[in-house]
Amino acid sequence: MLSRGDLTDGEWAVLEPLLPKSNNRCGRWRDHRQVINGIIYRVSTGCQWRELPARFGPWQTIHKRHMLWSADGTWETLLRHVQAVADSEGDIDWDINIDSTSIRAHLHAAGAPTAPPPTLSATSKGAAERSAHLRAHLHLRPFSEEAVRQARLSVARAAG
């Protein structure tokens, strides 16, 4: 009986011919379908290898097979084959849409200063913070005064 997330018979029929065969020199391999189901379970739940349910077999076997197939390109071969089969049946939509509103640039990409602010000698607790705040306020004051002046002019023009 298959549980949720296990390979169906149709999916297994597509994958089975592509999987490596045992060479009968190193003993019998655990059933590939059971191992793949264990790998699917682990990837979909995010559990640790040691926490795999016993129905998939020893976790060491599943982990070792996953690492072996990752290294020798078996997973890549399976992916390409499944994509080719799905594409030939029209099940893949190759149109990709990226919504630019979800991409945000780092502050430094917008020209933020990269150097740390200069350190100030403090004679009392909090003096450095107050001095830095006052200096920033005095530095920005001409810009804010100009912005207020421009806003007042545009309101006066609109009022007529």
Side-chain angles (χ1 to χ4, degrees):
M1 178 174 156
L2 294 177
S3 70
R4 198 173 78 179
D6 288 350
L7 293 172
T8 64
D9 292 334
E11 293 167 339
W12 178 244
V14 171
L15 296 179
E16 186 179 22
L18 303 170
L19 296 172
K21 306 289 186 250
S22 175
N23 59 8
N24 293 328
R25 291 187 303 168
C26 302
R28 280 185 23 159
W29 280 20
R30 180 165 290 279
D31 180 33
H32 286 320
R33 186 173 185 172
Q34 183 183 27
V35 171
I36 291 175
N37 286 335
I39 293 169
I40 291 171
Y41 179 86
R42 195 257 179 203
V43 169
S44 64
T45 62
C47 72
Q48 295 180 358
W49 289 106
R50 294 175 186 263
E51 296 175 357
L52 282 172
R55 67 185 176 93
F56 299 120
W59 69 268
Q60 295 93 336
T61 303
I62 298 167
H63 177 262
K64 189 181 295 183
R65 192 90 48 92
H66 176 66
M67 292 296 134
L68 175 70
W69 288 354
S70 295
D72 72 3
T74 301
W75 288 121
E76 187 66 29
T77 303
L78 292 174
L79 175 65
R80 280 186 291 200
H81 179 73
V82 169
Q83 283 178 336
V85 168
D87 190 30
S88 68
E89 295 173 357
D91 292 337
I92 294 182
D93 182 13
W94 292 103
D95 294 333
I96 297 174
N97 184 14
I98 297 176
D99 183 7
S100 63
T101 59
S102 64
I103 299 172
R104 301 189 69 186
H106 192 272
L107 293 174
H108 299 296
T114 56
T119 59
L120 300 172
S121 61
T123 57
S124 66
K125 186 176 181 180
E129 289 83 6
R130 284 193 302 275
S131 297
H133 176 72
L134 181 61
R135 192 172 46 215
H137 177 71
L138 291 175
H139 177 69
L140 294 176
R141 187 172 180 167
F143 297 114
S144 60
E145 288 175 351
E146 179 63 22
V148 169
R149 191 177 66 75
Q150 291 292 333
R152 287 182 179 158
L153 281 174
S154 58
V155 167
R157 283 187 209 130

